[in-house]
Amino acid sequence: MSHKQITNHFILFTILVTSIVSIFSSSKCCVSGLAQPYHALVAPITKDLKTSLYSITLNIHEKYVIDLGGPFLWYRCPKKYPTVPCASPACSSVKPYFSPLCRPSLNTSESRAHCACVVTPVNPVTNTCSLAQLTQKDLSVSWTNGSTPAKSIAKFNKQYVSCAPQSLLDSLPAGVSGMAGLSRSLVSVSSLFMSRKLNIKKQFSVCLPSGTYPGVMFFGDEPFRMLTPPRNDVQRILMYTPLVRKSNSADYFISLKGINFHGNKIVTFGAAEGYGAVKLSTIVPYTTLSSRIYKPLFKAFVKATNGLPRAPRVKPFKYCLNTTNLGYSRVGFPVSSIDLVLGNGGVWSIFGVNSMKQVGDNVACLALVDGGPKAKQPVVLGSFQIEDNFLLFDLEKSRLGFSSSLNFFRSSCGNFNFKGEFWGF
């Protein structure tokens, strides 16, 4: 190859890399109002009591079910929408997330002129997938000073999202527009909103509500004023543990050394089998454990509550109690905490409010599920276990900040001040 050919190839490569960087690090964005004194965005999270799924509100009134492992936002597109060329850098960035649940499409061939970028939005609740097209959509979200939403709105124009057929919305809460992925993908909602141009730090926070009051999601820097009284910054109580990457997965994981209950070691893990074993999920409703982990923990829980009257089982749970005389504390039913001993030695305590699910009058069940001996993941930490827990995904330092139950601090995820006509809460 001649020196001139080498130079030309280098120039083309530089142009391609520059294009990809410019698309994702300098996304088109305009902000209403004057220069912002804020460094974070905020949006409410609502819980659907029928499906136990959680939705974030964008564009003032559009609701999207949040999925920590989702690669992008998908929604039911209008009849006419812009398409993205399959040879574009944006299309190349979503190719690693082509779901094996979908059959490859002939339209993905980049040799065809004017082809549109084909993507595979997935409904993880029904485990279904559909071939669709990458498109662009304007998104907006409120600025915040950490105490309440500001009147000014951040507008992110022409962001890359996926279309989806109406059938993919099956089993999702009524009235939602689609799903919002929060993974490390370059086109996830969290990535779209974390803008250096707007001085928004590369981190986001999730606080799932347990009831009808909205929870909260922040994109960017603290303060997060949710502790009372007065409204102190919740970041001051957070503990941290590293986020662990797993190949071929967009999900978030943390490492686990063992599980303690009632002051005793129940399960321990070696580096080869356990570190990185805990997957965090806003889709799986209850923590699911492989049989090897579930059985000894179940046995220890039964032994510790042996003197309490039982109640008939309620699916999907295996152990329920009559709570008539059990009482209730600030952090739920007075049972021993389930302590996750993390890879860095930290402890994430799951108190009764997150381990016992009220399923009827005077009946509560151990809210853990046996995933079987061949469970794909040893531990999937479900959404019920992280309700009213403040989680900070610090992607710059690749770590997770967690609070355990905010109830312990006389607070909850419904304690952020969304009051006002704008939000209607």
Side-chain angles (χ1 to χ4, degrees):
M1 185 178 290
S2 68
H3 177 74
K4 183 177 181 180
Q5 288 175 313
I6 294 173
T7 302
N8 289 339
H9 278 84
F10 177 77
I11 292 173
L12 289 173
F13 175 76
T14 302
I15 292 173
L16 177 60
V17 171
T18 303
S19 298
I20 294 176
V21 171
S22 64
I23 285 174
F24 297 113
S25 64
S26 305
S27 57
K28 296 179 181 179
C29 175
C30 59
V31 182
S32 61
L34 301 175
Q36 299 299 324
Y38 315 119
H39 304 295
L41 307 170
V42 69
I45 298 174
T46 52
K47 179 180 180 180
D48 181 68
L49 299 180
K50 184 178 179 181
T51 62
S52 293
L53 294 172
Y54 308 82
S55 300
I56 181 177
T57 301
L58 303 175
N59 295 355
I60 300 179
H61 64 277
E62 296 175 3
K63 290 187 175 183
Y64 297 89
V65 174
I66 59 175
D67 177 13
L68 283 175
F72 43 65
L73 180 148
W74 60 258
Y75 81 118
R76 182 76 174 100
C77 289
K79 290 184 178 180
K80 293 184 178 180
Y81 57 89
T83 58
V84 177
C86 61
S88 67
C91 191
S92 298
S93 73
V94 297
K95 281 184 178 180
Y97 304 103
F98 200 96
S99 173
L101 295 172
C102 278
R103 294 181 179 179
S105 168
L106 295 177
N107 293 330
T108 59
S109 172
E110 294 188 5
S111 63
R112 297 182 58 179
H114 310 297
C115 66
C117 181
V118 174
V119 289
T120 53
V122 172
N123 180 333
V125 179
T126 57
N127 209 32
T128 55
C129 172
S130 178
L131 293 174
Q133 292 181 333
L134 194 66
T135 185
Q136 292 179 310
K137 177 178 174 62
D138 295 344
L139 299 172
S140 63
V141 65
S142 291
W143 289 102
T144 182
N145 60 3
S147 298
T148 188
K151 293 182 179 180
S152 54
I153 304 295
K155 298 179 180 179
F156 298 82
N157 298 332
K158 296 183 178 180
Q159 300 302 304
Y160 291 106
V161 301
S162 169
C163 291
Q166 181 65 37
S167 60
L168 214 59
L169 293 168
D170 290 350
S171 78
L172 299 185
V176 301
S177 300
M179 298 197 76
L182 297 171
S183 72
R184 298 175 188 263
S185 161
L186 290 174
V187 289
S188 70
V189 172
S190 50
S191 295
L192 297 178
F193 289 166
M194 293 183 294
S195 168
R196 290 183 180 179
K197 188 176 182 180
L198 297 178
N199 200 23
I200 299 175
K201 192 174 180 180
K202 195 176 179 182
Q203 64 180 31
F204 68 96
S205 306
V206 176
C207 204
L208 300 183
S210 58
T212 56
Y213 285 98
V216 60
M217 183 176 297
F218 295 100
F219 300 92
D221 217 344
E222 64 278 351
F224 313 119
R225 301 195 183 280
M226 298 179 63
L227 297 183
T228 57
R231 290 190 178 275
N232 291 323
D233 187 356
V234 73
Q235 192 183 40
R236 70 182 182 86
I237 64 169
L238 298 183
M239 297 167 282
Y240 292 88
T241 192
L243 286 168
V244 178
R245 286 182 180 271
K246 277 201 169 185
S247 59
N248 301 321
S249 177
D251 291 293
Y252 294 102
F253 294 86
I254 55 176
S255 61
L256 187 65
K257 284 186 176 179
I259 299 177
N260 295 348
F261 178 75
H262 206 54
N264 300 313
K265 292 183 179 180
I266 304 301
V267 184
T268 57
F269 303 95
E273 61 175 337
Y275 287 9
V278 180
K279 171 184 168 181
L280 304 170
S281 176
T282 51
I283 299 298
V284 176
Y286 305 106
T287 292
T288 303
L289 310 167
S290 68
S291 294
R292 172 183 174 264
I293 303 169
Y294 178 87
K295 289 180 178 179
L297 182 56
F298 175 84
K299 183 178 180 180
F301 192 91
V302 171
K303 182 179 180 180
T305 56
N306 191 42
L308 301 174
R310 295 193 184 189
R313 288 173 49 182
V314 177
K315 291 183 179 181
F317 312 122
K318 292 186 177 182
Y319 185 69
C320 301
L321 296 173
N322 184 316
T323 60
T324 303
N325 299 312
L326 184 56
Y328 204 81
S329 72
R330 186 193 310 175
V331 287
F333 293 106
V335 295
S336 296
S337 63
I338 299 171
D339 298 325
L340 305 181
V341 183
L342 305 177
N344 66 340
V347 176
W348 185 339
S349 293
I350 300 174
F351 298 104
V353 68
N354 293 115
S355 66
M356 296 287 290
K357 169 75 172 180
Q358 185 87 41
V359 295
D361 293 339
N362 299 319
V363 178
C365 302
L366 176 62
L368 304 177
V369 176
D370 187 346
K374 297 182 180 180
K376 186 176 180 180
Q377 301 294 339
V379 181
V380 178
L381 197 61
S383 56
F384 179 75
Q385 275 65 47
I386 59 178
E387 283 185 350
D388 288 325
N389 284 236
F390 192 93
L391 304 184
L392 171 62
F393 293 82
D394 184 344
L395 303 185
E396 286 188 358
K397 297 181 179 179
S398 193
R399 62 179 184 169
L400 175 74
F402 61 96
S403 66
S404 290
S405 178
L406 291 178
N407 295 173
F408 189 84
F409 303 93
R410 300 185 185 278
S411 187
S412 71
C413 288
N415 205 36
F416 185 77
N417 184 14
F418 278 112
K419 291 181 179 179
E421 295 181 4
F422 180 79
W423 292 104
F425 296 128

